[in-house]
Amino acid sequence: TRKLIVGAAQLGPIARSETRTQVVARLIELMREAKARGCDVVAYPELALTTFFPRWFFEDQAEIDQWFEREMPGPETRPLFDEAKKLGIGFYLGYAELVEQGGAPRHFNTAILVDKSGAIVGKYRKVHLPGHREHEPWRAFQHLEKRYFERGDLGFGAWRTMNGIMGMALCNDRRWPETYRVLGLQGVEMAFIGYNTPMHYPPVPEHDHLQGFHNHLVLQAGAYQNGMWIVGVAKAGKEEGCDLLGQSAIIAPTGEIVAMCSTVEDELVTAVCDLDRCRELKDNVFNFGLHREPETYRLIVDT
Ligand code: ING
């Protein structure tokens, strides 16, 4: 059996004033704990290097760009890659990516998959950008991902690494069934999904008490309906006055939660994930070749 020991490294709040060097030190501490528990791979949250800056309205592009990484690894993040290589552990990391493409600066909400040798084996750029584009002062806090990021241009990829087929997504992507199905159709056996989820959702505050329920609902459904392991990792806690959901979890292909964080701070939870167990679903109830009827699903893509 292809057993992978996986760590979900949840982060507590990152202060606006916290430097990348300070954050990387927290990431390295969690990576060492993961190694001590025998992990082959450890997953960090979305935008794991800085505070969740889309909660504020910035006009000045130079000020916005300060939240982005121009190179990965860069001077402040190289120690994390070096530590991973030294320990022989892979990782998933979410960060804000600023890159020159087509002669112009491009801004993406990005995640990478790094293998045990410290090599970047996969990159994903967030497709489903939630929130809004203009300043909406009626909100207790903003959610300006549509302003600061472009829609990801890499699609939902799958990579053969870590003795399996791995996939990635980011935060709001996990609410959309299409995310998991596009990964599942590529045979993905484990998907890493970092998130920053405010407990308060200004457009529908009567759903605030359901944030935890909705988080696990979509992760568990996605895992079960595509026979894949899912590692959902939060940036949690009261970050610059905004309460962020924790409850990071490792979900089995059956949809069961096999590990979950119980704090809203830096916390590692781990699980032994047998990638061969995906076959229990992919060869039976969700055997796409036998049972799936794409001809009847045209509306999903054509509209
Ligand atoms: N955050 C939130 C998320 O999708 C959100 C935005 C919160 C949407 C609650 C709907 C309800 O978890 C990010 N970063 O996508």
Side-chain angles (χ1 to χ4, degrees):
T1 62
R2 292 176 295 139
K3 289 186 175 178
L4 208 59
I5 302 182
V6 176
Q10 173 178 286
L11 287 181
I14 297 179
R16 180 170 184 162
S17 58
E18 208 162 335
T19 66
R20 283 166 175 77
T21 300
Q22 289 172 305
V23 176
V24 167
R26 290 167 59 182
L27 300 179
I28 287 175
E29 191 176 325
L30 286 160
M31 182 177 277
R32 286 174 177 159
E33 187 181 349
K35 185 62 183 177
R37 296 207 217 161
C39 288
D40 299 295
V41 60
V42 61
Y44 297 111
E46 167 196 41
L47 296 174
L49 297 173
T50 68
T51 196
F52 188 73
F53 64 90
R55 71 165 64 90
W56 296 299
F57 176 66
F58 298 105
E59 293 250 47
D60 174 40
Q61 192 59 49
E63 190 174 9
I64 294 166
D65 288 356
Q66 288 175 338
W67 299 108
F68 285 73
E69 312 305 317
R70 286 165 176 71
E71 47 182 332
M72 184 52 70
E76 297 113 325
T77 46
R78 184 167 302 285
L80 180 66
F81 284 69
D82 292 346
E83 186 74 12
K85 183 170 183 162
K86 190 179 82 176
L87 297 176
I89 185 169
F91 64 95
Y92 160 99
L93 178 74
Y95 65 95
E97 178 191 17
L98 172 53
V99 62
E100 290 293 319
Q101 224 169 264
R106 312 288 296 280
H107 298 75
F108 298 105
N109 187 340
T110 296
I112 51 173
L113 194 54
V114 181
D115 71 11
K116 292 188 174 185
S117 77
I120 297 177
V121 294
K123 174 181 279 191
Y124 169 72
R125 289 167 172 165
K126 188 173 182 178
V127 166
H128 297 95
L129 296 170
H132 46 103
R133 195 179 304 278
E134 301 308 326
H135 189 212
E136 296 184 5
W138 60 271
R139 293 170 179 259
F141 47 85
Q142 305 298 298
H143 199 112
L144 289 160
E145 292 194 58
K146 290 189 191 299
R147 186 182 187 84
Y148 300 141
F149 303 116
E150 291 176 59
R151 193 196 69 192
D153 59 352
L154 301 174
F156 295 101
W159 295 272
R160 285 188 178 285
T161 183
M162 299 172 198
N163 205 18
I165 303 176
M166 304 291 158
M168 292 186 272
L170 280 161
C171 206
N172 199 257
D173 290 321
R174 77 190 188 286
R175 299 179 190 277
W176 299 88
E178 293 86 352
T179 300
Y180 303 99
R181 187 44 50 88
V182 172
L183 291 172
L185 287 168
Q186 298 175 79
V188 168
E189 298 168 312
M190 178 171 284
F192 301 99
I193 311 181
Y195 59 88
N196 287 249
T197 299
M199 290 306 292
H200 174 50
Y201 181 64
V204 190
E206 52 272 34
H207 287 183
D208 287 3
H209 68 288
L210 298 172
Q211 292 309 330
F213 165 63
H214 286 158
N215 179 41
H216 287 158
L217 177 67
V218 295
L219 292 173
Q220 290 179 267
Y224 168 61
Q225 291 168 340
N226 295 280
M228 62 173 70
W229 291 90
I230 295 182
V231 186
V233 190
K235 167 97 77 50
K238 199 171 192 64
E239 185 177 86
E240 298 296 333
C242 178
D243 280 310
L244 300 175
L245 175 70
Q247 297 191 319
S248 304
I250 300 174
I251 319 279
T254 55
E256 294 166 287
I257 296 175
V258 296
M260 184 175 86
C261 286
S262 56
T263 73
V264 283
E265 297 160 4
D266 291 12
E267 180 184 352
L268 179 78
V269 289
T270 60
V272 178
C273 304
D274 181 355
L275 298 179
D276 288 340
R277 292 205 59 200
C278 298
R279 304 309 329 162
E280 295 168 16
L281 289 296
K282 291 179 189 282
D283 290 350
N284 298 293
V285 62
F286 294 112
N287 182 321
F288 294 158
L290 276 187
H291 306 310
R292 197 168 154 268
E293 300 294 352
E295 286 316 302
T296 68
Y297 311 153
R298 285 265 160 261
L299 270 182
I300 289 178
V301 178
D302 297 346
T303 41

